[in-house]
Amino acid sequence: MNNFTHWNEQGRPKMVDISTKDVTQRTAIAHSIITLSDELYQAIQQGHIKKGDPTQVAQIAGIMAAKKTSDIIPMCHPIMLQGTDFQFTYQQGTSGYELHIEATVKCNGKTGVEMEALTAVSVAALTFYDMCKAVDKSMVIKETYLVQKTGGKSGTYMRD
């Protein structure tokens, strides 16, 4: 338990001091999956979602969330992001479809962007749900996870 970095000598929460860390190029890729019905998939493909294209709105929300991560995750440092991008891929599942959401976040900084990437895909998934709930309330937001991170003292991480 002594290895936790977000606790001070009094056992109280603190923001980690990154003042002596080197600036490196940092990237993080996160992934989230949403299940949806055949009916919803067809409505999206035919442009019948009354609120508009749910992936476009989800992408904008995800980008905004990445930029605001330090406002909602208490110990995150504010980071000047240099880029945030998304990929949305529909795949047919055993019953219905899955939407795979992937966000890539980049910066040159003293701390990583894993939380920004994870926040981006999480908010994108929630926004997609909000955009489509009139057609399908049974959607399930499934796995959300870090795929890869680069940069910093710990180097590269690749999910198996």
Side-chain angles (χ1 to χ4, degrees):
M1 289 278 199
N2 295 354
N3 294 332
F4 287 118
T5 58
H6 288 76
W7 301 102
N8 67 17
E9 299 80 27
Q10 296 174 329
R12 299 183 58 79
K14 71 171 186 172
M15 181 183 271
V16 172
D17 181 358
I18 60 171
S19 61
T20 61
K21 292 176 84 175
D22 292 330
V23 172
T24 63
Q25 184 175 10
R26 297 166 183 265
T27 63
I29 301 171
H31 193 93
S32 189
I33 301 168
I34 305 172
T35 63
L36 49 143
S37 66
D38 289 332
E39 175 190 10
L40 175 55
Y41 176 76
Q42 293 306 321
I44 292 166
Q45 297 308 306
Q46 295 166 11
H48 293 154
I49 302 297
K50 292 180 182 179
K51 294 182 179 182
D53 181 343
T55 58
Q56 285 186 0
V57 178
Q59 182 160 346
I60 293 167
I63 292 168
M64 291 173 66
K67 294 182 343 181
K68 294 291 194 175
T69 299
S70 67
D71 290 345
I72 58 174
I73 307 292
M75 300 305 171
C76 283
H77 293 83
I79 297 175
M80 179 63 72
L81 301 179
Q82 271 87 41
T84 303
D85 198 10
F86 280 82
Q87 298 293 319
F88 293 89
T89 308
Y90 292 100
Q91 295 179 7
Q92 191 157 19
T94 53
S95 63
Y97 285 82
E98 292 182 340
L99 173 62
H100 292 253
I101 304 170
E102 190 167 276
T104 302
V105 179
K106 296 179 181 182
C107 82
N108 290 314
K110 294 184 172 200
T111 190
V113 289
E114 298 93 355
M115 292 309 301
E116 286 73 12
L118 288 162
T119 300
V121 295
S122 297
V123 170
L126 289 167
T127 301
F128 182 90
Y129 185 98
D130 180 54
M131 293 290 292
C132 299
K133 67 186 180 211
V135 176
D136 180 8
K137 289 180 180 47
S138 70
M139 290 175 284
V140 174
I141 299 172
K142 294 174 43 176
E143 297 91 12
T144 298
Y145 54 88
L146 182 67
V147 175
Q148 175 185 334
K149 80 86 161 169
T150 64
K153 187 170 73 173
S154 66
T156 299
Y157 164 81
M158 297 280 292
R159 185 176 182 87
D160 294 332

